[in-house]
Amino acid sequence: MADIRCPMCGKPNPAERDVCQYCQARLKPLTAALPPEPPKKPSAEPPKKKASEPAPKHNADDWLGSLRDQDDESFGESGDWLDDETLIGAGEGERDPLAWLSSIDSGAAAPGKPAEPEPDETEWLANASLESPASPGDTGSFERTFTTSSIGRGRREDDVDLSEWLSSLDKDQDEGIQVTGGEEASDWLAEFDTAGAASDDREAEALEPPVIQSKPAEDDLPDWLAGLAGNYQSPEPGFAQRTTAQEAIEPTQPADLPAWLASLSAGSGADRSETDLPLDEFGDGDVPAEELPGAELPDWIDRLGEPAAPPAAGEPATAELPDWMASLGAAGDADEMDLSQPPSKEKEFETALLPDWLATLESGAGDDQIFEQPESSPEPDTASLPAWMAALGETEPTGSLAPEEGEELEGEPVTGQLSEPAETASEPEWFANFEQVEELDEPPAAARNLVDAPMPEWLASLSAAEAEASLGTPAEMPDWLQGLRPTQDDLGAGQLEGEAEGADWLSDLERGAGESEAAEVQDLERAASSPFAMDGDLDSDLESLYQADVPDWLQDVTTETPAETGAVETGESLERAELPGWLAAMRPVGSVSVPRPLQEEEEEYTEAGPLAGLRGILPAEPVVATSRPKALSLRLDLTDSQQKHINLLETLLASEEAPRPAQAPARLTPQHLLRWVIALCLLVAVGYPVVTGSTLAPLPLPPSGVLEVRQEIQALPAGAPVLVSFDYEARLAGEMEAVAGPVLDDLMLRGAPLVLISTTPSGAFLAEQFIQQVHADHQYTSGQQYLNLGYLPGSTAGLASFASQPQRSAGYSLSGYEAWGQVPLQGVASLADFGLVLIITDRAETAQAWIEQTGNSLGDTPLLVAASAQAEPLIRPYYQSGQVKGLVGGISGGSAYDNLLGVAGQARRYWDAYQLGLLLAVAVIILGAAANYIMAVLERNKRSKGERTHEPA
Amino acid sequence: MNLPDLIGASIGFLLTLAVFSYLIGDNPLFRLAIYIFIGVSTGYVFSVTLYNVLIPQLLLPMTLGNPAQISLALLPLLLGGLLITKISPRLAWLGNFPAAYLVGVGAAAAVGGALLGTLFPQTGAAINSLDASRNTLLDGIILLVGTLATLLYFSFSARPQSAGAAEQPVWLSSIGSLGQAFIGITFGVLFAGVYSAALVALIERLDSMWAFVQSLLANL
């Protein structure tokens, strides 16, 4: 017994094993174990046919013939079992829906009957077919389109004859379509039509009553079906791009295919935009009815038109029907389940190995429960139908195939759940196979196996043409490929010897390689095309069954086994050594290392990914995977000391950034207490004499400066004007009034005219206030006894200007009048004309400015200064130098002058308080110094004691 | 005491107490009194300047003066106007001309006055103080020693020694210490003068307050 090579790992396995002993992949499809009886029926006949031969109209051996006979027996001689009267008058459920297939046959049996267009097609139906779905996601449009296309497909098959029963459906609609699923056997068809009408109604935006819309046509076909047929005559252009099988069919169309298949291929590649059928795969076999001569139809299709025998009551329809037909419904059910997701590889493989009807027979056994029957739909109706029609009947009235309009019309709730599977259920099996061929683009082996599967002759020829078209016609092939092909043929059937002519250098090379190399090349191609081909009985049986259906060259390719593909992997026998010299020179020999193939024991199971569980899979990384670089640690190793330093630094930085809370000033501190005590003592010491008016303290003796002031005043000529400068601030007005008061009192006692001036803004008004308030008892009048010249601006420069040109610098009095014409200034032209200049100031700078700027302008005019106590020390050198003739400094000077005058002036009132204040200050200074000294001594002693204690004994 | 005097005396009394409140620390009353003094002084200075400088020496000559007075008044007006441009940073350079004029004139006056009014007379007086015919020889000697010692105190030059350290001569450092003593005494005298002035001001304020209280008590 031959071994079975695993399609996954490629290793040989014993034939009795179902799964690979190496990779646990399935070796035999599940369908391989089924009884071979059903598939042999259709497979026995097609091999007798040639692809180029037209299909016979009738075949006496066709199993469908019995089916037709049964239909004839049950329905009598009348083939129009679906005419109006029969449909309406017959009891519901009494007719076998298979009878419509007879109309298919009758329609097909009239080859000469031309396809008549439907002139009075209802426009709404035509529009419904023409209109494309509103959007890809528009499920309703999608389903409606499919519905109409499915019906239109049936109509195209039987053309006019079939329209009879369909017209009766329209009549049902005219009568109100009150038929429910439980009342009539063909209720699903009625709903089917109703659904289509409703969808068209919606799309036409007419929303007219269905009675009007479903007006029966004058001809046999209803308009909507005619419209569908007409639409289908406009093929879809984009369809050919998506179906590779049909691409291959197109070049072979004129020579090999019957007319209806030619139209099929043309329709598959035609315009899609017009019909916009979303289920293109279901329309693969849709051929316009007028292009389907009955003579070219396969016999098994012709027999479909024969009346089928009615099924026995209560017996399932699948028991009566042929297996392939019984499996249609199941297959449709299964396909319905698979439509939502791509078919699995395993299933494709199984389907490719077996005839579709056989595969679906097995797989579609228990799928009927997927669809929910409407509550009103009786079970016997479904049982009497073919399975695929039953599925169609079950599905279409339910779900989204019955849109809202249909619900409104029917007045019945729609309980269906699946809508898309119904599309698959309505297609014949051979269409499904054809569809699978189209879908199996990858891998190509699946398509090849599908070609190998049992198929009718016409389909085999189609496959042959397709394969040939895929390889390219001899005229289209490049030379090197043409040379390669005869080599294969020579090794195989040897039918294409003539095509090997004109081969180029490559073909010559192939011929010269010998049979062994040619076989290897053949194996290589075979392995590439059908990696999943099986060795064994099943494979050989299938090949023997269909060997006559496929072209020889394709048969050779199909029957080849991938047993010798191992030679391809190594590539040792290829033309490596026979490369052209120039090409061999360019080959980077030595720079490429061929990895050593893994041994079986080295092969490991794949643990992850989609190929998990398989062994021998090439790893993601090459065998010579580079060693991983050594991982370098990014972590810095620190010693303990370094870590401590880092922590310390972090702490310092954190403390720098942390805001320090502001310390609230203490309410009571020793300094505050000391300050308050001193202030209190001072207030008491000063306040007490003021309050009591004490004059206990003796007045000081007048110093020399006071005496000289006194002498200068006494020496002042009578009526000589005296220039008095009030250059002090208000804050020291009390002291200055006490200091200068006795001097001015002496001048005023003598009746000297006073000319007041000030180098400070406040001095002018202080002077006025001094004359008017302090010495108000002298009754000096402005402009008469005194004249206030006001503020003299310019500081030093102003003084210099005033010293040089007093009239220009201070031409106006404080009241705004001309100063130099008034009485106090009469006879005065310069500073030297003044009898005396007295400067009352609290700042030494002012006195210095006066001395410096007016010293040369005064002449013999004495300059006297009454200064504050804080300015006296700095002015005294000028007095000692003789620049200032007299100096009264501070309250002591004022008191001395009072003492000299013998009056109790303001200075005298302040003298006691001043003395106590001085005493207190001296006391505080002494006490403070003593305390500081004591604290220093204590601190020193403490240090000395500490040093002694810390010194070693 | 009439009403204006009473109001004035009352304001003075309250402001004095507000200033005295500084004994317990900075407080709003003290700040209020300070702000009032600053404001009143500023307003007072402005009024004095207006009525004692601008009107009599600028506006009156320009309005009532003869062409010569007017032309002379235009020059200070121009300089004064340019000095105002110092407010604007973009036009401040225009104020440099009157500022330069003021600084130049002021410096010249100060230097001339210092030379002629202070340096030469004081130098002569220091020399004359040592005149034996006068009874100021001791004062002159003290003045001379004190002056020299103070000047030598501010002599910071020293000869480098062998060890590399620079030390002033002993006699220079000794005289410098004497000069430091003179400087200390001088500052002490100045401080005593400041304290004396402040003490008199305090006494004057207390006397004023007591007078106000007496007047109030007398009127009651």
Side-chain angles (χ1 to χ4, degrees), chain A residues 56-68:
Chain A
K57 290 176 58 178
H58 300 282
N59 192 342
D61 297 336
D62 194 353
W63 54 272
L64 287 174
S66 60
L67 175 63
R68 181 181 180 185

Side-chain angles (χ1 to χ4, degrees), chain B residues 17-48:
Chain B
L17 290 178
V19 173
F20 285 168
S21 67
Y22 189 73
L23 286 174
I24 59 176
D26 193 5
N27 59 85
L29 289 178
F30 175 76
R31 292 183 181 180
L32 177 63
I34 295 298
Y35 298 156
I36 290 174
F37 284 138
I38 293 173
V40 170
S41 300
T42 303
Y44 175 74
V45 169
F46 174 77
S47 61
V48 169

Side-chain angles (χ1 to χ4, degrees), chain A residues 404-486:
Chain A
E404 290 77 9
E405 290 82 359
E407 294 178 6
E408 295 173 1
L409 294 173
E410 294 292 334
E412 294 179 6
V414 179
T415 58
Q417 296 176 350
L418 298 176
S419 58
E420 296 180 0
E423 302 165 357
T424 306
S426 62
E427 67 175 355
E429 181 187 7
W430 60 276
F431 282 144
N433 293 336
F434 188 75
E435 170 191 345
Q436 291 178 356
V437 173
E438 296 174 352
E439 295 176 354
L440 294 176
D441 295 335
E442 294 296 336
R448 178 62 59 88
N449 291 332
L450 186 60
V451 173
D452 296 338
M455 61 187 70
E457 182 181 1
W458 61 272
L459 189 57
S461 63
L462 176 63
S463 301
E466 172 188 353
E468 187 173 340
S470 63
L471 293 175
T473 59
E476 298 174 349
M477 285 183 180
D479 295 338
W480 63 273
L481 189 56
Q482 291 178 359
L484 179 62
R485 183 177 174 184

Side-chain angles (χ1 to χ4, degrees), chain A residues 2-7 14-15 17-18 26-32 349-350 353-354 449 452 526 530-543 558-563:
Chain A
D3 294 339
I4 299 177
R5 184 170 295 278
C6 178
R17 292 188 62 87
D18 294 334
R26 181 175 291 280
L27 298 175
K28 298 177 182 178
L30 295 176
T31 55
F349 179 65
E350 295 172 4
L353 288 177
L354 295 176
N449 291 332
D452 296 338
R526 179 186 56 199
S530 59
F532 298 103
M534 297 174 55
D535 292 337
D537 298 334
L538 179 60
D539 198 7
S540 60
D541 293 341
L542 294 176
E543 292 175 358
T558 307
T559 54
E560 288 172 358
T561 60

Side-chain angles (χ1 to χ4, degrees), chain A residues 676 765 852-853 878 883 914 917, chain B residues 23 44 56 109 117-118 195-197:
Chain A
W676 291 348
F765 288 91
E852 292 175 351
Q853 300 300 327
Y878 293 97
Q883 294 174 287
Y914 178 76
Chain B
L23 286 174
Y44 175 74
T118 301
Y195 174 77
S196 175

Side-chain angles (χ1 to χ4, degrees), chain A residues 194-210:
Chain A
T194 306
S199 63
D200 294 333
D201 189 9
R202 183 195 308 160
E203 294 176 358
E205 298 179 355
L207 294 177
E208 297 177 0

